[in-house]
Amino acid sequence: MRQQIMDKEKIASAVKMILEAIGDDPDRQGLLDTPKRVANMYEEVFAGLSKNPAIHCETVFEEQHEEMVLVKDIPFSSMCEHHLVPFIGEAHVAYIPKNGRVIGLSKIARIVDDISKRPQLQERITKSVADLLMEELDPVGVMVVLEAEHMCMSIRGVNKQGAKTVTSAVRGSFHSNSKSRNEVLALINK
Protein backbone atom coordinates (compact mmCIF):
# COMPACT_ATOMS: atom_id res chain seq x y z
CA MET A 1 0.00 0.00 0.00
CA ARG A 2 1.45 3.38 -0.88
CA GLN A 3 1.95 6.10 1.68
CA GLN A 4 -0.82 8.67 1.56
CA ILE A 5 -0.31 12.17 2.82
CA MET A 6 -3.29 13.60 4.60
CA ASP A 7 -4.09 17.16 3.53
CA LYS A 8 -4.72 18.63 6.98
CA GLU A 9 -5.05 22.17 5.66
CA LYS A 10 -7.85 21.09 3.35
CA ILE A 11 -9.57 19.26 6.23
CA ALA A 12 -9.31 22.34 8.47
CA SER A 13 -10.74 24.52 5.72
CA ALA A 14 -13.65 22.12 5.24
CA VAL A 15 -14.36 22.03 8.99
CA LYS A 16 -14.42 25.84 9.06
CA MET A 17 -16.95 25.75 6.21
CA ILE A 18 -19.07 23.21 8.10
CA LEU A 19 -19.09 25.43 11.19
CA GLU A 20 -20.22 28.35 9.05
CA ALA A 21 -22.83 26.18 7.29
CA ILE A 22 -24.44 25.09 10.57
CA GLY A 23 -24.75 28.74 11.57
CA ASP A 24 -21.93 29.03 14.09
CA ASP A 25 -19.04 31.47 14.11
CA PRO A 26 -15.73 29.66 13.44
CA ASP A 27 -13.91 32.77 14.69
CA ARG A 28 -15.37 32.67 18.19
CA GLN A 29 -12.95 31.73 20.95
CA GLY A 30 -14.18 28.18 21.57
CA LEU A 31 -14.01 27.27 17.88
CA LEU A 32 -10.83 29.05 16.79
CA ASP A 33 -8.65 25.94 16.93
CA THR A 34 -11.41 23.41 16.20
CA PRO A 35 -10.61 23.04 12.46
CA LYS A 36 -6.96 22.28 13.29
CA ARG A 37 -7.94 19.88 16.09
CA VAL A 38 -10.35 18.01 13.79
CA ALA A 39 -7.66 17.76 11.10
CA ASN A 40 -5.24 16.28 13.65
CA MET A 41 -7.92 13.88 14.85
CA TYR A 42 -8.68 12.75 11.30
CA GLU A 43 -4.99 12.07 10.73
CA GLU A 44 -5.10 9.74 13.73
CA VAL A 45 -8.47 8.01 13.20
CA PHE A 46 -7.83 7.45 9.49
CA ALA A 47 -4.17 6.39 9.86
CA GLY A 48 -5.03 2.94 8.48
CA LEU A 49 -5.50 4.42 5.00
CA SER A 50 -1.72 4.56 4.60
CA LYS A 51 -0.94 1.18 6.20
CA ASN A 52 -0.74 -2.34 4.89
CA PRO A 53 -1.93 -4.65 7.68
CA ALA A 54 -0.36 -7.69 5.99
CA ILE A 55 3.04 -6.42 7.15
CA HIS A 56 2.19 -7.73 10.63
CA CYS A 57 2.19 -11.29 9.27
CA GLU A 58 5.72 -11.10 7.88
CA THR A 59 7.31 -12.46 11.06
CA VAL A 60 6.05 -15.98 11.66
CA PHE A 61 7.26 -18.30 14.39
CA GLU A 62 7.59 -22.04 14.03
CA GLU A 63 6.02 -23.46 17.16
CA GLN A 64 4.60 -26.95 17.43
CA HIS A 65 1.18 -25.64 18.39
CA GLU A 66 -1.75 -26.70 16.29
CA GLU A 67 -4.57 -25.90 18.69
CA MET A 68 -6.71 -22.79 18.72
CA VAL A 69 -5.23 -19.38 19.53
CA LEU A 70 -7.77 -16.77 20.64
CA VAL A 71 -7.09 -13.11 21.33
CA LYS A 72 -10.28 -11.64 22.73
CA ASP A 73 -11.54 -8.30 23.95
CA ILE A 74 -9.27 -6.30 21.62
CA PRO A 75 -10.57 -2.72 21.88
CA PHE A 76 -11.04 -1.01 18.53
CA SER A 77 -12.63 2.10 17.11
CA SER A 78 -13.51 3.07 13.59
CA MET A 79 -15.47 5.70 11.69
CA CYS A 80 -18.72 4.77 9.99
CA GLU A 81 -18.24 5.57 6.32
CA HIS A 82 -21.89 6.54 5.98
CA HIS A 83 -21.95 9.30 8.63
CA LEU A 84 -18.29 9.81 9.66
CA VAL A 85 -19.10 9.20 13.31
CA PRO A 86 -17.35 6.57 15.43
CA PHE A 87 -18.24 3.05 16.29
CA ILE A 88 -16.40 1.51 19.21
CA GLY A 89 -16.17 -2.04 20.42
CA GLU A 90 -14.16 -5.20 20.89
CA ALA A 91 -12.73 -7.70 18.45
CA HIS A 92 -12.22 -11.39 19.13
CA VAL A 93 -9.87 -13.21 16.75
CA ALA A 94 -9.22 -16.96 16.77
CA TYR A 95 -7.14 -19.11 14.46
CA ILE A 96 -5.81 -22.64 14.35
CA PRO A 97 -2.20 -22.68 13.12
CA LYS A 98 -1.16 -25.05 10.36
CA ASN A 99 2.29 -26.65 10.52
CA GLY A 100 3.03 -24.69 13.69
CA ARG A 101 2.99 -21.27 11.93
CA VAL A 102 2.05 -18.67 14.57
CA ILE A 103 2.36 -14.89 14.74
CA GLY A 104 2.94 -12.66 17.74
CA LEU A 105 -0.25 -11.94 19.66
CA SER A 106 0.22 -8.18 19.44
CA LYS A 107 0.28 -8.50 15.65
CA ILE A 108 -3.37 -9.57 15.71
CA ALA A 109 -4.31 -6.39 17.60
CA ARG A 110 -2.24 -4.32 15.14
CA ILE A 111 -4.06 -5.92 12.19
CA VAL A 112 -7.42 -5.00 13.73
CA ASP A 113 -6.19 -1.42 14.29
CA ASP A 114 -4.81 -0.95 10.78
CA ILE A 115 -7.99 -2.23 9.16
CA SER A 116 -10.35 -0.30 11.44
CA LYS A 117 -8.54 3.06 11.15
CA ARG A 118 -10.23 4.13 7.90
CA PRO A 119 -13.77 4.99 6.87
CA GLN A 120 -15.33 1.58 7.40
CA LEU A 121 -18.24 -0.75 7.90
CA GLN A 122 -18.11 -3.23 10.77
CA GLU A 123 -18.93 -6.05 8.38
CA ARG A 124 -15.94 -5.15 6.18
CA ILE A 125 -13.52 -5.00 9.13
CA THR A 126 -14.67 -8.46 10.27
CA LYS A 127 -14.29 -9.97 6.80
CA SER A 128 -10.98 -8.20 6.08
CA VAL A 129 -9.31 -9.43 9.29
CA ALA A 130 -10.43 -13.03 8.63
CA ASP A 131 -9.43 -12.97 4.96
CA LEU A 132 -6.03 -11.42 5.67
CA LEU A 133 -5.17 -14.05 8.29
CA MET A 134 -6.31 -16.87 5.98
CA GLU A 135 -4.26 -15.51 3.11
CA GLU A 136 -1.10 -14.63 5.01
CA LEU A 137 -0.89 -17.46 7.56
CA ASP A 138 -2.67 -20.28 5.71
CA PRO A 139 -4.11 -21.57 9.01
CA VAL A 140 -6.51 -24.48 9.44
CA GLY A 141 -9.24 -21.98 10.29
CA VAL A 142 -10.01 -18.41 11.36
CA MET A 143 -12.92 -16.92 13.23
CA VAL A 144 -13.41 -13.20 13.86
CA VAL A 145 -16.21 -11.71 15.93
CA LEU A 146 -16.69 -7.95 16.39
CA GLU A 147 -19.08 -6.29 18.83
CA ALA A 148 -19.55 -2.52 18.62
CA GLU A 149 -21.80 0.38 19.47
CA HIS A 150 -22.37 2.68 16.53
CA MET A 151 -22.78 6.39 17.23
CA CYS A 152 -24.75 6.73 13.98
CA MET A 153 -27.41 4.67 15.77
CA SER A 154 -26.84 6.00 19.31
CA ILE A 155 -26.72 9.78 18.86
CA ARG A 156 -28.88 10.25 15.77
CA GLY A 157 -31.61 8.50 13.84
CA VAL A 158 -33.21 5.92 16.13
CA ASN A 159 -31.22 7.17 19.19
CA LYS A 160 -30.70 3.72 20.72
CA GLN A 161 -27.80 4.14 23.15
CA GLY A 162 -26.19 0.88 24.17
CA ALA A 163 -27.39 -1.18 21.21
CA LYS A 164 -24.54 -3.37 19.95
CA THR A 165 -23.94 -4.85 16.55
CA VAL A 166 -22.23 -8.24 16.38
CA THR A 167 -20.62 -9.49 13.17
CA SER A 168 -18.66 -12.66 12.48
CA ALA A 169 -16.50 -14.11 9.77
CA VAL A 170 -15.82 -17.84 9.85
CA ARG A 171 -13.22 -19.50 7.63
CA GLY A 172 -11.74 -22.97 7.19
CA SER A 173 -12.30 -25.53 9.94
CA PHE A 174 -14.35 -23.11 12.03
CA HIS A 175 -16.81 -22.94 9.15
CA SER A 176 -17.04 -26.69 8.64
CA ASN A 177 -16.81 -27.80 12.28
CA SER A 178 -19.60 -26.50 14.53
CA LYS A 179 -17.89 -27.94 17.64
CA SER A 180 -14.80 -25.75 17.04
CA ARG A 181 -16.99 -22.75 16.24
CA ASN A 182 -18.99 -23.25 19.44
CA GLU A 183 -15.75 -23.57 21.45
CA VAL A 184 -14.66 -20.15 20.23
CA LEU A 185 -18.04 -18.60 21.07
CA ALA A 186 -17.99 -20.18 24.55
CA LEU A 187 -14.49 -18.80 25.22
CA ILE A 188 -15.47 -15.33 23.97
CA ASN A 189 -18.49 -15.28 26.25
CA LYS A 190 -16.59 -16.62 29.28
Side-chain angles (χ1 to χ4, degrees), residues 59-170:
T59 302
V60 176
F61 302 101
E62 300 299 326
E63 183 62 41
Q64 291 313 305
H65 182 81
E66 295 187 2
E67 301 294 325
M68 179 181 43
V69 176
L70 168 65
V71 181
K72 68 179 211 169
D73 302 329
I74 303 167
F76 81 93
S77 61
S78 191
M79 294 288 267
C80 164
E81 69 181 33
H82 297 148
H83 300 98
L84 291 182
V85 294
F87 58 98
I88 299 166
E90 293 180 330
H92 315 287
V93 180
Y95 75 103
I96 298 174
K98 184 190 290 180
N99 301 322
R101 290 175 42 90
V102 299
I103 61 171
L105 300 176
S106 69
K107 302 303 185 191
I108 293 172
R110 291 179 195 279
I111 290 166
V112 171
D113 278 348
D114 286 358
I115 292 172
S116 65
K117 296 294 184 202
R118 21 182 115 173
Q120 274 289 19
L121 298 175
Q122 181 173 331
E123 297 88 341
R124 187 181 307 124
I125 296 170
T126 309
K127 178 186 181 312
S128 296
V129 171
D131 290 346
L132 181 129
L133 289 172
M134 282 301 288
E135 185 176 310
E136 297 295 324
L137 295 181
D138 189 32
V140 174
V142 170
M143 185 164 167
V144 178
V145 177
L146 266 62
E147 305 174 60
E149 181 174 357
H150 292 250
M151 296 303 111
C152 57
M153 223 175 102
S154 299
I155 64 170
R156 57 156 305 279
V158 296
N159 287 297
K160 298 299 177 201
Q161 295 82 19
K164 288 199 174 166
T165 300
V166 179
T167 53
S168 67
V170 185

Side-chain angles (χ1 to χ4, degrees), residues 68 70 72 92-95 143-145 174 179-190:
M68 179 181 43
L70 168 65
K72 68 179 211 169
H92 315 287
V93 180
Y95 75 103
M143 185 164 167
V144 178
V145 177
F174 289 118
K179 186 176 177 185
S180 294
R181 188 169 54 250
N182 289 336
E183 180 184 3
V184 173
L185 293 172
L187 289 170
I188 288 171
N189 293 317
K190 204 171 202 178

